[in-house]
Amino acid sequence: MLDQRLVRERPNLIAHELERRGIKLDLNSLQQIAQQQRDLEEQRSKLQSRGNLIGKEVGEKIRQGFDPKAPEIRELRDQGNQIKQEVALIEEKEKTISAVLKEKLLSLPNLPSPECPDGKDEKDNQEKYRWGAPRQEANLEEHWEIANRIKLFDTERTAKISQSRFVTLLGQGARLERALINFMLDLHTSKGYQEVFPPVLVNTASLKGSGQLPKFADESFRCIDDDLWLTPTAEVPLTSLHREEILAANKLPLKYVAYSPCFRREAGSYGKDTKGLIRLHQFNKVELYWFAHPEKSKEAHAQITNDAEAVLQALELPYRVIELCTGDLGFSASRTFDLEVWLPGAQAYREISSCSVCTDFQARRSSIRTKEGKTTRLIHTLNGSGLAIGRTMAALLENGQQQDGTVKLPEALVPYFGSDLLQPDFRY
RNA sequence: GGAGAGGUGGCUGAGUGGUUGAAAGCGGCUCCCUGCUAAGGAGUUACAGGAGGCAACUUCUGUCGAGGGUUCGAAUCCCUCCCUCUCCGCCA
């Protein structure tokens, strides 16, 4: 959410910054609403001030021994009632207008960072650097072909269990998924991240706090009988972990790592990535999350990206780092680095992590602050996948595939998986 | 699901209609003392929004789970809802 004061006082700045994201909107009307709301508030508080004085006077008189039914007191009471009615009138207007304002503000995305390059869509994203040597041979298999052959998962049977875009991992596939989760959690906790295992059902306030609502309701699964939704990412419960809190400045940054299943409706992506592990309604992810001091968030962003990259490096997976342009930024982000892993079978780089700094956008929605001396200020939040498990598995399969049909796994996984080789399994 | 208890500042916890935005303690901050550490002393310390000032700050309003109501006046009384805890039942 954007600062209301900014809307009132510098609407042009907001209009300009949102235009960088490709959003054109009439900020004059928004500014007027904000201004009206403030004017009403001012009117009301002046009336209330008078009302309070009258109340005090009555109390004072009664204490001095006036008869509560004396005309002086009756007069004051009448005045009090008069004011009460006027206040009620203003309050009614105020309520309507601030509901409108709030709804509008909640629907505006974050302002892009000055460092975020201008651009219209993903074509304008900038590659920053590459790591590792991508395999380029011809005739390499895509990950679902490999998985099918050695029986790591079963999508056909899964349709009986739930729907398309879900997967049932089998045998080595199930074990590898588990190994990857543990491997990543261990790697991050060894670097000072605190491990969290959050609930998967979250309430509306949590989704609002991190920016998924009100705008993207159709992207999440919801429970019809309760005020609960399935988390689209652990970013949601992690943001709300400290919702409405004032965090001690000397404890910042707070760094969390959470494994969670993630649920997304993927509305509007019919026909895209229909095979394999790339785009599923349910997938596993290890998420990194920082609550940072507002002046340290730039360094934090570099660090969280680094920490996500460390997973790819440990798994010996070639990747590149992409800086998203303004037009491709997520709703809450002010600046984002995507990590794209090389998929030799597809001969393409695919997003496997997205590391964003959300400045005070989520903190304002969630009311997460810190205190320095006498002033409280909003903290900054950052998030990054570290990493998406399914896509990591896809990358491992395609990068590790060998002539004999087996898959070689990186050494780092051996303690977790128990082997460095995936072989066909005929039991399934 | 049944019965009961409760939701107050960063935390613990007083407070049942009239200067109570709220005692006390803890914690935090500032200063003093101390050779160091430990301890001690003095002061200070809710949040949000508005107005004024370059600023330190001053001032107004709101906020004691949320929303209504009673009243000139509500943390305190009434209603509705939400949440937490305890016990019982059911259950992984």
Side-chain angles (χ1 to χ4, degrees), chain A residues 120-242:
Chain A
K120 195 162 155 273
D121 53 37
E122 67 268 47
K123 288 185 213 80
D124 296 321
N125 291 343
Q126 296 178 0
E127 180 173 321
K128 298 195 65 129
Y129 53 89
R130 296 184 179 201
W131 184 92
R135 287 178 68 174
Q136 306 278 12
E137 310 105 271
N139 304 323
L140 290 174
E141 285 180 302
E142 299 217 42
H143 76 274
W144 65 84
E145 298 172 306
I146 303 165
N148 251 338
R149 200 161 33 65
I150 61 181
K151 291 285 179 263
L152 294 178
F153 54 76
D154 187 327
T155 38
E156 316 241 314
R157 286 191 174 107
T158 305
K160 288 192 298 186
I161 304 172
S162 44
Q163 269 188 8
S164 64
R165 286 212 192 282
F166 286 86
V167 74
T168 305
L169 295 162
L170 304 171
Q172 297 168 98
R175 186 183 174 86
L176 182 55
E177 186 90 353
R178 177 159 60 94
L180 285 170
I181 293 166
N182 283 334
F183 165 71
M184 292 184 198
L185 287 172
D186 282 353
L187 183 67
H188 296 304
T189 51
S190 77
K191 292 182 176 171
Y193 283 84
Q194 285 177 264
E195 185 169 343
V196 173
F197 204 141
V200 172
L201 291 178
V202 299
N203 57 32
T204 300
S206 298
L207 258 339
K208 268 192 186 156
S210 46
Q212 280 74 14
L213 289 178
K215 251 199 134 176
F216 306 103
D218 58 356
E219 260 306 312
S220 290
F221 290 100
R222 72 193 302 182
C223 304
I224 54 174
D225 287 330
D226 303 276
D227 174 34
L228 290 170
W229 308 64
L230 286 163
T231 42
T233 160
E235 179 190 340
V236 175
L238 285 173
T239 308
S240 278
L241 189 61
H242 291 300

Side-chain angles (χ1 to χ4, degrees), chain A residues 69-363:
Chain A
K69 286 187 180 135
E72 290 94 330
I73 290 190
R74 170 115 35 88
E75 167 72 11
L76 287 170
R77 280 185 178 163
D78 288 347
Q79 281 182 36
N81 275 323
Q82 179 68 30
I83 287 172
K84 203 158 50 163
Q85 281 173 28
E86 290 173 45
V87 167
L89 223 68
I90 295 176
E91 262 175 349
E92 206 171 313
K93 285 189 209 161
E94 216 181 337
K95 219 180 208 171
T96 322
I97 211 163
S98 45
V100 171
L101 181 63
K102 187 88 193 274
E103 192 68 14
K104 287 192 188 246
L105 283 176
L106 284 173
S107 303
L108 291 180
N110 199 0
L111 304 181
S113 151
E115 283 156 302
C116 183
D118 287 347
K120 195 162 155 273
D121 53 37
E122 67 268 47
K123 288 185 213 80
D124 296 321
N125 291 343
Q126 296 178 0
E127 180 173 321
K128 298 195 65 129
Y129 53 89
R130 296 184 179 201
W131 184 92
R135 287 178 68 174
Q136 306 278 12
E137 310 105 271
N139 304 323
L140 290 174
E141 285 180 302
E142 299 217 42
H143 76 274
W144 65 84
E145 298 172 306
I146 303 165
N148 251 338
R149 200 161 33 65
I150 61 181
K151 291 285 179 263
L152 294 178
F153 54 76
D154 187 327
T155 38
E156 316 241 314
R157 286 191 174 107
T158 305
K160 288 192 298 186
I161 304 172
S162 44
Q163 269 188 8
S164 64
R165 286 212 192 282
F166 286 86
V167 74
T168 305
L169 295 162
L170 304 171
Q172 297 168 98
R175 186 183 174 86
L176 182 55
E177 186 90 353
R178 177 159 60 94
L180 285 170
I181 293 166
N182 283 334
F183 165 71
M184 292 184 198
L185 287 172
D186 282 353
L187 183 67
H188 296 304
T189 51
S190 77
K191 292 182 176 171
Y193 283 84
Q194 285 177 264
E195 185 169 343
V196 173
F197 204 141
V200 172
L201 291 178
V202 299
N203 57 32
T204 300
S206 298
L207 258 339
K208 268 192 186 156
S210 46
Q212 280 74 14
L213 289 178
K215 251 199 134 176
F216 306 103
D218 58 356
E219 260 306 312
S220 290
F221 290 100
R222 72 193 302 182
C223 304
I224 54 174
D225 287 330
D226 303 276
D227 174 34
L228 290 170
W229 308 64
L230 286 163
T231 42
T233 160
E235 179 190 340
V236 175
L238 285 173
T239 308
S240 278
L241 189 61
H242 291 300
R243 180 148 47 87
E244 279 141 51
E245 287 186 26
I246 296 177
L247 305 171
N250 59 13
K251 294 222 172 113
L252 296 178
L254 293 172
K255 297 158 60 177
Y256 293 106
V257 58
Y259 153 72
S260 85
C262 303
F263 303 87
R264 298 184 183 177
R265 296 195 55 232
E266 296 294 350
S269 66
Y270 308 109
K272 234 193 212 172
D273 307 314
T274 49
K275 289 180 181 167
L277 303 173
I278 300 297
R279 192 176 300 275
L280 296 171
H281 286 313
Q282 174 180 349
F283 62 97
N284 291 311
K285 181 156 60 73
V286 168
E287 181 80 358
L288 305 175
Y289 200 94
W290 288 43
F291 296 86
H293 188 280
E295 273 148 36
K296 305 260 173 70
S297 60
K298 187 176 147 78
E299 302 86 88
H301 192 203
Q303 189 56 53
I304 198 171
T305 308
N306 247 295
D307 291 338
E309 284 177 65
V311 182
L312 287 166
Q313 292 176 8
L315 295 176
E316 303 165 40
L317 293 170
Y319 66 91
R320 62 180 186 176
V321 180
I322 302 288
E323 164 131 35
L324 298 194
C325 72
T326 50
D328 202 26
L329 281 179
F331 186 72
S332 301
S334 84
R335 193 180 187 201
T336 298
F337 302 131
D338 271 4
L339 307 186
E340 296 187 345
V341 72
W342 176 248
L343 296 180
Q347 288 288 303
Y349 282 101
R350 284 306 297 254
E351 176 188 339
I352 197 168
S353 170
S354 194
C355 302
S356 301
V357 54
C358 298
T359 55
D360 61 12
F361 187 80
Q362 293 178 322

Side-chain angles (χ1 to χ4, degrees), chain A residues 2 6-7 9-28 30-31 108-109 111-112:
Chain A
L2 304 178
L6 211 58
V7 172
E9 294 174 2
R10 306 189 61 189
N12 294 335
L13 174 89
I14 294 179
H16 175 253
E17 290 301 321
L18 289 182
E19 207 172 324
R20 291 178 64 207
R21 296 185 62 133
I23 295 167
K24 281 204 175 135
L25 75 143
D26 176 17
L27 267 148
N28 279 341
L30 189 65
Q31 190 213 13
L108 291 180
L111 304 181

